[in-house]
Amino acid sequence: MFLRVLLFFIITILNTYLSISQELTQKISGKVIDATSKQPLIGATITIPNTKPLLGVITNINGEFELNNVPIGRQDIKVSFIGYQPIITRGALITSARAYTIIVEMEESLENLNEVLITPINAKRPLNKSAKVSARSFSIEEATRFAGGLGDPARVAYNFAGATFGSAQDNGVVIRGNSPTNVL
């Protein structure tokens, strides 16, 4: 009889200890919207910074989220989204009585950036230094691969804008209306 009573007390104490040692959690739900347009922000990140492992979730297509297993107590809630100022709600009281609900209105992040200068690197510069406008050089390999070129650079040149045949017999090239006989 004494052994049964002792076993009953040991089991009762262990159950009480195990139930006390469980961490109480709650869920945080809400919506993230743009402060100006009131449109939902899809893919915004909501995290609880001081948790291990880090608790986090992203918003759905309606800008809504639900973050489960948040430890009860005072928690910081960080909301971030690309192109918007991050928002940190400090000391939000999470209780076991009911879920915590929050609506976050985010403002766009405006930053002045330095100018970006893009310069082309032209590997096919004309060999003729006096050709300032609309010059194009091509290799023998390009002439053999060009449709209708038949390996002849003059035939390839005929396919560019502004270049035409002078006559089929003399293989002359007329560029922008100037005849080969008139150009020195």
mmCIF file of all heavy atoms in Angstrom, residues 9-57:
data_model
loop_
_atom_site.group_PDB
_atom_site.id
_atom_site.type_symbol
_atom_site.label_atom_id
_atom_site.label_comp_id
_atom_site.label_asym_id
_atom_site.label_seq_id
_atom_site.Cartn_x
_atom_site.Cartn_y
_atom_site.Cartn_z
ATOM 1 N N PHE A 9 2.434 9.724 -5.798
ATOM 2 C CA PHE A 9 3.002 11.050 -5.564
ATOM 3 C C PHE A 9 4.141 11.371 -6.538
ATOM 4 O O PHE A 9 4.256 12.490 -7.014
ATOM 5 C CB PHE A 9 3.481 11.183 -4.113
ATOM 6 C CG PHE A 9 2.371 11.462 -3.149
ATOM 7 C CD1 PHE A 9 2.105 10.573 -2.121
ATOM 8 C CD2 PHE A 9 1.588 12.602 -3.260
ATOM 9 C CE1 PHE A 9 1.069 10.820 -1.232
ATOM 10 C CE2 PHE A 9 0.556 12.852 -2.378
ATOM 11 C CZ PHE A 9 0.297 11.952 -1.352
ATOM 12 N N ILE A 10 4.963 10.388 -6.833
ATOM 13 C CA ILE A 10 6.072 10.617 -7.765
ATOM 14 C C ILE A 10 5.543 10.948 -9.156
ATOM 15 O O ILE A 10 5.999 11.888 -9.809
ATOM 16 C CB ILE A 10 7.019 9.390 -7.793
ATOM 17 C CG1 ILE A 10 7.761 9.284 -6.469
ATOM 18 C CG2 ILE A 10 8.006 9.506 -8.957
ATOM 19 C CD1 ILE A 10 8.584 8.035 -6.336
ATOM 20 N N ILE A 11 4.541 10.195 -9.607
ATOM 21 C CA ILE A 11 3.944 10.451 -10.927
ATOM 22 C C ILE A 11 3.261 11.809 -10.947
ATOM 23 O O ILE A 11 3.372 12.567 -11.913
ATOM 24 C CB ILE A 11 2.974 9.321 -11.313
ATOM 25 C CG1 ILE A 11 3.762 8.039 -11.586
ATOM 26 C CG2 ILE A 11 2.151 9.699 -12.552
ATOM 27 C CD1 ILE A 11 2.906 6.830 -11.810
ATOM 28 N N THR A 12 2.584 12.186 -9.898
ATOM 29 C CA THR A 12 1.911 13.485 -9.815
ATOM 30 C C THR A 12 2.933 14.618 -9.852
ATOM 31 O O THR A 12 2.744 15.624 -10.564
ATOM 32 C CB THR A 12 1.065 13.577 -8.527
ATOM 33 O OG1 THR A 12 0.170 12.481 -8.480
ATOM 34 C CG2 THR A 12 0.296 14.883 -8.476
ATOM 35 N N ILE A 13 4.013 14.498 -9.138
ATOM 36 C CA ILE A 13 5.047 15.537 -9.124
ATOM 37 C C ILE A 13 5.705 15.660 -10.495
ATOM 38 O O ILE A 13 5.942 16.764 -10.986
ATOM 39 C CB ILE A 13 6.089 15.237 -8.023
ATOM 40 C CG1 ILE A 13 5.448 15.452 -6.641
ATOM 41 C CG2 ILE A 13 7.317 16.133 -8.176
ATOM 42 C CD1 ILE A 13 6.305 15.005 -5.490
ATOM 43 N N LEU A 14 5.995 14.541 -11.161
ATOM 44 C CA LEU A 14 6.590 14.578 -12.490
ATOM 45 C C LEU A 14 5.654 15.215 -13.507
ATOM 46 O O LEU A 14 6.077 16.002 -14.354
ATOM 47 C CB LEU A 14 6.993 13.175 -12.948
ATOM 48 C CG LEU A 14 8.257 12.589 -12.305
ATOM 49 C CD1 LEU A 14 8.472 11.164 -12.769
ATOM 50 C CD2 LEU A 14 9.467 13.433 -12.656
ATOM 51 N N ASN A 15 4.368 14.879 -13.460
ATOM 52 C CA ASN A 15 3.393 15.484 -14.372
ATOM 53 C C ASN A 15 3.283 16.987 -14.149
ATOM 54 O O ASN A 15 3.185 17.768 -15.098
ATOM 55 C CB ASN A 15 2.024 14.830 -14.218
ATOM 56 C CG ASN A 15 1.936 13.511 -14.936
ATOM 57 O OD1 ASN A 15 2.740 13.236 -15.833
ATOM 58 N ND2 ASN A 15 0.987 12.681 -14.546
ATOM 59 N N THR A 16 3.295 17.415 -12.901
ATOM 60 C CA THR A 16 3.223 18.835 -12.590
ATOM 61 C C THR A 16 4.469 19.551 -13.105
ATOM 62 O O THR A 16 4.387 20.620 -13.706
ATOM 63 C CB THR A 16 3.093 19.045 -11.063
ATOM 64 O OG1 THR A 16 1.986 18.308 -10.597
ATOM 65 C CG2 THR A 16 2.925 20.517 -10.735
ATOM 66 N N TYR A 17 5.637 18.945 -12.887
ATOM 67 C CA TYR A 17 6.893 19.544 -13.357
ATOM 68 C C TYR A 17 6.916 19.647 -14.882
ATOM 69 O O TYR A 17 7.298 20.672 -15.431
ATOM 70 C CB TYR A 17 8.080 18.714 -12.856
ATOM 71 C CG TYR A 17 9.409 19.217 -13.361
ATOM 72 C CD1 TYR A 17 9.959 20.389 -12.849
ATOM 73 C CD2 TYR A 17 10.090 18.563 -14.369
ATOM 74 C CE1 TYR A 17 11.165 20.871 -13.307
ATOM 75 C CE2 TYR A 17 11.298 19.036 -14.846
ATOM 76 C CZ TYR A 17 11.831 20.189 -14.305
ATOM 77 O OH TYR A 17 13.018 20.664 -14.773
ATOM 78 N N LEU A 18 6.493 18.591 -15.580
ATOM 79 C CA LEU A 18 6.490 18.613 -17.045
ATOM 80 C C LEU A 18 5.490 19.613 -17.602
ATOM 81 O O LEU A 18 5.746 20.270 -18.613
ATOM 82 C CB LEU A 18 6.213 17.216 -17.607
ATOM 83 C CG LEU A 18 7.326 16.187 -17.393
ATOM 84 C CD1 LEU A 18 6.866 14.818 -17.873
ATOM 85 C CD2 LEU A 18 8.587 16.601 -18.118
ATOM 86 N N SER A 19 4.345 19.755 -16.974
ATOM 87 C CA SER A 19 3.350 20.712 -17.478
ATOM 88 C C SER A 19 3.793 22.154 -17.229
ATOM 89 O O SER A 19 3.484 23.041 -18.012
ATOM 90 C CB SER A 19 1.985 20.458 -16.847
ATOM 91 O OG SER A 19 2.034 20.739 -15.466
ATOM 92 N N ILE A 20 4.538 22.389 -16.150
ATOM 93 C CA ILE A 20 5.032 23.740 -15.878
ATOM 94 C C ILE A 20 6.170 24.097 -16.821
ATOM 95 O O ILE A 20 6.317 25.225 -17.258
ATOM 96 C CB ILE A 20 5.478 23.873 -14.407
ATOM 97 C CG1 ILE A 20 4.266 23.804 -13.492
ATOM 98 C CG2 ILE A 20 6.239 25.177 -14.166
ATOM 99 C CD1 ILE A 20 4.590 23.747 -12.031
ATOM 100 N N SER A 21 7.002 23.127 -17.184
ATOM 101 C CA SER A 21 8.163 23.410 -18.011
ATOM 102 C C SER A 21 7.820 23.642 -19.478
ATOM 103 O O SER A 21 8.668 24.067 -20.237
ATOM 104 C CB SER A 21 9.176 22.265 -17.896
ATOM 105 O OG SER A 21 8.645 21.088 -18.475
ATOM 106 N N GLN A 22 6.612 23.366 -19.919
ATOM 107 C CA GLN A 22 6.233 23.623 -21.304
ATOM 108 C C GLN A 22 6.104 25.128 -21.527
ATOM 109 O O GLN A 22 5.529 25.837 -20.713
ATOM 110 C CB GLN A 22 4.916 22.945 -21.645
ATOM 111 C CG GLN A 22 5.006 21.449 -21.712
ATOM 112 C CD GLN A 22 3.659 20.832 -22.006
ATOM 113 O OE1 GLN A 22 2.642 21.509 -22.000
ATOM 114 N NE2 GLN A 22 3.651 19.537 -22.261
ATOM 115 N N GLU A 23 6.644 25.577 -22.657
ATOM 116 C CA GLU A 23 6.581 26.996 -22.975
ATOM 117 C C GLU A 23 5.242 27.311 -23.629
ATOM 118 O O GLU A 23 4.852 26.662 -24.595
ATOM 119 C CB GLU A 23 7.727 27.371 -23.916
ATOM 120 C CG GLU A 23 7.834 28.843 -24.151
ATOM 121 C CD GLU A 23 9.055 29.197 -24.984
ATOM 122 O OE1 GLU A 23 9.875 28.324 -25.250
ATOM 123 O OE2 GLU A 23 9.148 30.361 -25.375
ATOM 124 N N LEU A 24 4.570 28.313 -23.105
ATOM 125 C CA LEU A 24 3.285 28.707 -23.668
ATOM 126 C C LEU A 24 3.520 29.578 -24.895
ATOM 127 O O LEU A 24 4.382 30.452 -24.895
ATOM 128 C CB LEU A 24 2.461 29.458 -22.627
ATOM 129 C CG LEU A 24 2.055 28.641 -21.402
ATOM 130 C CD1 LEU A 24 1.365 29.533 -20.395
ATOM 131 C CD2 LEU A 24 1.158 27.482 -21.801
ATOM 132 N N THR A 25 2.755 29.330 -25.938
ATOM 133 C CA THR A 25 2.896 30.083 -27.181
ATOM 134 C C THR A 25 1.539 30.607 -27.635
ATOM 135 O O THR A 25 0.500 30.167 -27.157
ATOM 136 C CB THR A 25 3.508 29.212 -28.299
ATOM 137 O OG1 THR A 25 2.635 28.110 -28.554
ATOM 138 C CG2 THR A 25 4.889 28.727 -27.934
ATOM 139 N N GLN A 26 1.591 31.526 -28.560
ATOM 140 C CA GLN A 26 0.390 32.120 -29.141
ATOM 141 C C GLN A 26 0.676 32.443 -30.591
ATOM 142 O O GLN A 26 1.815 32.327 -31.046
ATOM 143 C CB GLN A 26 0.004 33.387 -28.364
ATOM 144 C CG GLN A 26 -1.318 34.009 -28.724
ATOM 145 C CD GLN A 26 -2.491 33.069 -28.616
ATOM 146 O OE1 GLN A 26 -2.832 32.431 -29.596
ATOM 147 N NE2 GLN A 26 -3.090 32.961 -27.442
ATOM 148 N N LYS A 27 -0.308 32.855 -31.326
ATOM 149 C CA LYS A 27 -0.089 33.240 -32.722
ATOM 150 C C LYS A 27 -0.277 34.740 -32.904
ATOM 151 O O LYS A 27 -1.029 35.385 -32.171
ATOM 152 C CB LYS A 27 -0.991 32.457 -33.669
ATOM 153 C CG LYS A 27 -2.422 32.905 -33.702
ATOM 154 C CD LYS A 27 -3.177 32.152 -34.767
ATOM 155 C CE LYS A 27 -4.618 32.631 -34.807
ATOM 156 N NZ LYS A 27 -5.376 31.979 -35.851
ATOM 157 N N ILE A 28 0.455 35.264 -33.896
ATOM 158 C CA ILE A 28 0.314 36.657 -34.302
ATOM 159 C C ILE A 28 -0.217 36.643 -35.720
ATOM 160 O O ILE A 28 0.312 35.948 -36.585
ATOM 161 C CB ILE A 28 1.667 37.399 -34.263
ATOM 162 C CG1 ILE A 28 2.222 37.430 -32.838
ATOM 163 C CG2 ILE A 28 1.530 38.808 -34.804
ATOM 164 C CD1 ILE A 28 3.610 38.030 -32.747
ATOM 165 N N SER A 29 -1.278 37.381 -35.958
ATOM 166 C CA SER A 29 -1.838 37.473 -37.301
ATOM 167 C C SER A 29 -2.049 38.932 -37.646
ATOM 168 O O SER A 29 -2.057 39.798 -36.775
ATOM 169 C CB SER A 29 -3.160 36.702 -37.398
ATOM 170 O OG SER A 29 -4.099 37.253 -36.498
ATOM 171 N N GLY A 30 -2.205 39.196 -38.937
ATOM 172 C CA GLY A 30 -2.429 40.580 -39.336
ATOM 173 C C GLY A 30 -2.330 40.778 -40.820
ATOM 174 O O GLY A 30 -2.389 39.824 -41.606
ATOM 175 N N LYS A 31 -2.141 42.027 -41.200
ATOM 176 C CA LYS A 31 -2.106 42.413 -42.607
ATOM 177 C C LYS A 31 -1.071 43.513 -42.777
ATOM 178 O O LYS A 31 -0.927 44.378 -41.923
ATOM 179 C CB LYS A 31 -3.487 42.900 -43.048
ATOM 180 C CG LYS A 31 -3.641 43.118 -44.514
ATOM 181 C CD LYS A 31 -5.098 43.370 -44.891
ATOM 182 C CE LYS A 31 -5.239 43.420 -46.394
ATOM 183 N NZ LYS A 31 -6.611 43.529 -46.824
ATOM 184 N N VAL A 32 -0.353 43.478 -43.921
ATOM 185 C CA VAL A 32 0.635 44.502 -44.246
ATOM 186 C C VAL A 32 0.163 45.212 -45.508
ATOM 187 O O VAL A 32 -0.098 44.566 -46.533
ATOM 188 C CB VAL A 32 2.030 43.880 -44.460
ATOM 189 C CG1 VAL A 32 3.044 44.956 -44.797
ATOM 190 C CG2 VAL A 32 2.469 43.104 -43.229
ATOM 191 N N ILE A 33 0.033 46.549 -45.433
ATOM 192 C CA ILE A 33 -0.463 47.331 -46.565
ATOM 193 C C ILE A 33 0.444 48.537 -46.808
ATOM 194 O O ILE A 33 1.213 48.933 -45.935
ATOM 195 C CB ILE A 33 -1.925 47.800 -46.341
ATOM 196 C CG1 ILE A 33 -2.036 48.647 -45.073
ATOM 197 C CG2 ILE A 33 -2.876 46.628 -46.293
ATOM 198 C CD1 ILE A 33 -3.409 49.260 -44.859
ATOM 199 N N ASP A 34 0.320 49.114 -47.990
ATOM 200 C CA ASP A 34 1.019 50.351 -48.337
ATOM 201 C C ASP A 34 0.291 51.503 -47.656
ATOM 202 O O ASP A 34 -0.935 51.587 -47.703
ATOM 203 C CB ASP A 34 1.020 50.533 -49.854
ATOM 204 C CG ASP A 34 1.765 51.777 -50.286
ATOM 205 O OD1 ASP A 34 1.163 52.870 -50.240
ATOM 206 O OD2 ASP A 34 2.930 51.664 -50.669
ATOM 207 N N ALA A 35 1.044 52.400 -47.032
ATOM 208 C CA ALA A 35 0.432 53.505 -46.282
ATOM 209 C C ALA A 35 -0.314 54.474 -47.180
ATOM 210 O O ALA A 35 -1.327 55.038 -46.789
ATOM 211 C CB ALA A 35 1.506 54.257 -45.487
ATOM 212 N N THR A 36 0.157 54.663 -48.410
ATOM 213 C CA THR A 36 -0.465 55.637 -49.299
ATOM 214 C C THR A 36 -1.648 55.050 -50.059
ATOM 215 O O THR A 36 -2.748 55.597 -50.041
ATOM 216 C CB THR A 36 0.571 56.175 -50.306
ATOM 217 O OG1 THR A 36 1.698 56.655 -49.588
ATOM 218 C CG2 THR A 36 -0.004 57.290 -51.147
ATOM 219 N N SER A 37 -1.417 53.940 -50.732
ATOM 220 C CA SER A 37 -2.454 53.373 -51.603
ATOM 221 C C SER A 37 -3.379 52.386 -50.899
ATOM 222 O O SER A 37 -4.401 52.000 -51.460
ATOM 223 C CB SER A 37 -1.801 52.670 -52.789
ATOM 224 O OG SER A 37 -1.103 51.519 -52.358
ATOM 225 N N LYS A 38 -3.019 51.957 -49.693
ATOM 226 C CA LYS A 38 -3.788 50.976 -48.915
ATOM 227 C C LYS A 38 -3.889 49.621 -49.623
ATOM 228 O O LYS A 38 -4.766 48.822 -49.319
ATOM 229 C CB LYS A 38 -5.188 51.493 -48.579
ATOM 230 C CG LYS A 38 -5.223 52.826 -47.886
ATOM 231 C CD LYS A 38 -4.557 52.796 -46.554
ATOM 232 C CE LYS A 38 -4.723 54.149 -45.858
ATOM 233 N NZ LYS A 38 -3.683 54.430 -44.930
ATOM 234 N N GLN A 39 -2.976 49.357 -50.555
ATOM 235 C CA GLN A 39 -2.940 48.071 -51.259
ATOM 236 C C GLN A 39 -2.112 47.080 -50.449
ATOM 237 O O GLN A 39 -1.134 47.449 -49.801
ATOM 238 C CB GLN A 39 -2.321 48.239 -52.652
ATOM 239 C CG GLN A 39 -3.150 49.068 -53.597
ATOM 240 C CD GLN A 39 -4.475 48.411 -53.903
ATOM 241 O OE1 GLN A 39 -4.558 47.221 -54.175
ATOM 242 N NE2 GLN A 39 -5.543 49.191 -53.831
ATOM 243 N N PRO A 40 -2.467 45.780 -50.485
ATOM 244 C CA PRO A 40 -1.691 44.786 -49.731
ATOM 245 C C PRO A 40 -0.297 44.614 -50.326
ATOM 246 O O PRO A 40 -0.111 44.727 -51.535
ATOM 247 C CB PRO A 40 -2.519 43.506 -49.876
ATOM 248 C CG PRO A 40 -3.367 43.715 -51.066
ATOM 249 C CD PRO A 40 -3.607 45.187 -51.175
ATOM 250 N N LEU A 41 0.678 44.347 -49.469
ATOM 251 C CA LEU A 41 2.052 44.098 -49.896
ATOM 252 C C LEU A 41 2.301 42.593 -49.861
ATOM 253 O O LEU A 41 2.328 41.983 -48.791
ATOM 254 C CB LEU A 41 3.039 44.839 -49.001
ATOM 255 C CG LEU A 41 2.939 46.357 -49.039
ATOM 256 C CD1 LEU A 41 3.920 46.986 -48.076
ATOM 257 C CD2 LEU A 41 3.154 46.876 -50.438
ATOM 258 N N ILE A 42 2.466 42.028 -51.030
ATOM 259 C CA ILE A 42 2.645 40.581 -51.171
ATOM 260 C C ILE A 42 4.116 40.242 -50.960
ATOM 261 O O ILE A 42 4.983 40.808 -51.609
ATOM 262 C CB ILE A 42 2.191 40.117 -52.566
ATOM 263 C CG1 ILE A 42 0.738 40.507 -52.801
ATOM 264 C CG2 ILE A 42 2.390 38.616 -52.732
ATOM 265 C CD1 ILE A 42 0.312 40.399 -54.241
ATOM 266 N N GLY A 43 4.404 39.333 -50.049
ATOM 267 C CA GLY A 43 5.773 38.889 -49.815
ATOM 268 C C GLY A 43 6.533 39.679 -48.777
ATOM 269 O O GLY A 43 7.755 39.548 -48.679
ATOM 270 N N ALA A 44 5.850 40.506 -47.983
ATOM 271 C CA ALA A 44 6.525 41.217 -46.899
ATOM 272 C C ALA A 44 6.942 40.208 -45.831
ATOM 273 O O ALA A 44 6.265 39.208 -45.603
ATOM 274 C CB ALA A 44 5.597 42.275 -46.299
ATOM 275 N N THR A 45 8.062 40.457 -45.172
ATOM 276 C CA THR A 45 8.612 39.533 -44.182
ATOM 277 C C THR A 45 8.299 40.023 -42.781
ATOM 278 O O THR A 45 8.576 41.172 -42.441
ATOM 279 C CB THR A 45 10.135 39.423 -44.355
ATOM 280 O OG1 THR A 45 10.418 39.067 -45.698
ATOM 281 C CG2 THR A 45 10.711 38.381 -43.425
ATOM 282 N N ILE A 46 7.743 39.117 -41.953
ATOM 283 C CA ILE A 46 7.445 39.422 -40.562
ATOM 284 C C ILE A 46 8.288 38.477 -39.718
ATOM 285 O O ILE A 46 8.222 37.258 -39.895
ATOM 286 C CB ILE A 46 5.946 39.228 -40.227
ATOM 287 C CG1 ILE A 46 5.084 40.210 -41.038
ATOM 288 C CG2 ILE A 46 5.694 39.455 -38.746
ATOM 289 C CD1 ILE A 46 4.651 39.697 -42.345
ATOM 290 N N THR A 47 9.110 39.017 -38.805
ATOM 291 C CA THR A 47 9.968 38.188 -37.962
ATOM 292 C C THR A 47 9.867 38.628 -36.511
ATOM 293 O O THR A 47 9.512 39.766 -36.209
ATOM 294 C CB THR A 47 11.445 38.264 -38.400
ATOM 295 O OG1 THR A 47 11.872 39.620 -38.386
ATOM 296 C CG2 THR A 47 11.653 37.686 -39.779
ATOM 297 N N ILE A 48 10.215 37.700 -35.613
ATOM 298 C CA ILE A 48 10.373 37.984 -34.190
ATOM 299 C C ILE A 48 11.880 37.918 -33.937
ATOM 300 O O ILE A 48 12.448 36.818 -33.867
ATOM 301 C CB ILE A 48 9.615 36.963 -33.305
ATOM 302 C CG1 ILE A 48 8.161 36.825 -33.753
ATOM 303 C CG2 ILE A 48 9.723 37.337 -31.841
ATOM 304 C CD1 ILE A 48 7.333 38.070 -33.630
ATOM 305 N N PRO A 49 12.584 39.059 -33.851
ATOM 306 C CA PRO A 49 14.047 39.078 -33.883
ATOM 307 C C PRO A 49 14.753 38.284 -32.775
ATOM 308 O O PRO A 49 15.784 37.700 -33.007
ATOM 309 C CB PRO A 49 14.387 40.571 -33.760
ATOM 310 C CG PRO A 49 13.164 41.287 -34.176
ATOM 311 C CD PRO A 49 12.027 40.407 -33.820
ATOM 312 N N ASN A 50 14.243 38.243 -31.570
ATOM 313 C CA ASN A 50 14.982 37.652 -30.451
ATOM 314 C C ASN A 50 14.597 36.201 -30.178
ATOM 315 O O ASN A 50 14.633 35.767 -29.027
ATOM 316 C CB ASN A 50 14.770 38.501 -29.193
ATOM 317 C CG ASN A 50 15.272 39.913 -29.393
ATOM 318 O OD1 ASN A 50 16.275 40.122 -30.054
ATOM 319 N ND2 ASN A 50 14.574 40.882 -28.841
ATOM 320 N N THR A 51 14.232 35.441 -31.182
ATOM 321 C CA THR A 51 13.877 34.038 -30.972
ATOM 322 C C THR A 51 14.920 33.136 -31.609
ATOM 323 O O THR A 51 15.551 33.487 -32.594
ATOM 324 C CB THR A 51 12.492 33.728 -31.575
ATOM 325 O OG1 THR A 51 12.505 34.061 -32.956
ATOM 326 C CG2 THR A 51 11.401 34.490 -30.872
ATOM 327 N N LYS A 52 15.101 31.968 -31.010
ATOM 328 C CA LYS A 52 16.018 30.963 -31.552
ATOM 329 C C LYS A 52 15.274 29.663 -31.627
ATOM 330 O O LYS A 52 14.848 29.162 -30.593
ATOM 331 C CB LYS A 52 17.241 30.820 -30.668
ATOM 332 C CG LYS A 52 18.061 32.062 -30.666
ATOM 333 C CD LYS A 52 19.481 31.762 -30.357
ATOM 334 C CE LYS A 52 20.191 33.056 -30.176
ATOM 335 N NZ LYS A 52 21.254 33.440 -30.783
ATOM 336 N N PRO A 53 15.083 29.078 -32.784
ATOM 337 C CA PRO A 53 15.408 29.604 -34.105
ATOM 338 C C PRO A 53 14.514 30.801 -34.439
ATOM 339 O O PRO A 53 13.452 30.969 -33.852
ATOM 340 C CB PRO A 53 15.129 28.439 -35.046
ATOM 341 C CG PRO A 53 14.097 27.623 -34.354
ATOM 342 C CD PRO A 53 14.387 27.781 -32.882
ATOM 343 N N LEU A 54 14.971 31.587 -35.369
ATOM 344 C CA LEU A 54 14.257 32.803 -35.751
ATOM 345 C C LEU A 54 12.872 32.457 -36.294
ATOM 346 O O LEU A 54 12.740 31.650 -37.203
ATOM 347 C CB LEU A 54 15.046 33.569 -36.814
ATOM 348 C CG LEU A 54 14.459 34.901 -37.269
ATOM 349 C CD1 LEU A 54 14.466 35.899 -36.123
ATOM 350 C CD2 LEU A 54 15.238 35.441 -38.433
ATOM 351 N N LEU A 55 11.853 33.065 -35.709
ATOM 352 C CA LEU A 55 10.480 32.862 -36.175
ATOM 353 C C LEU A 55 10.168 33.901 -37.232
ATOM 354 O O LEU A 55 10.448 35.089 -37.042
ATOM 355 C CB LEU A 55 9.488 32.996 -35.020
ATOM 356 C CG LEU A 55 9.544 31.925 -33.940
ATOM 357 C CD1 LEU A 55 8.584 32.266 -32.822
ATOM 358 C CD2 LEU A 55 9.211 30.564 -34.520
ATOM 359 N N GLY A 56 9.582 33.461 -38.336
ATOM 360 C CA GLY A 56 9.248 34.403 -39.390
ATOM 361 C C GLY A 56 8.247 33.823 -40.366
ATOM 362 O O GLY A 56 8.035 32.611 -40.429
ATOM 363 N N VAL A 57 7.636 34.716 -41.126
ATOM 364 C CA VAL A 57 6.637 34.329 -42.118
ATOM 365 C C VAL A 57 6.560 35.450 -43.151
ATOM 366 O O VAL A 57 7.006 36.568 -42.890
ATOM 367 C CB VAL A 57 5.266 34.073 -41.434
ATOM 368 C CG1 VAL A 57 4.641 35.366 -40.943
ATOM 369 C CG2 VAL A 57 4.307 33.334 -42.333
#
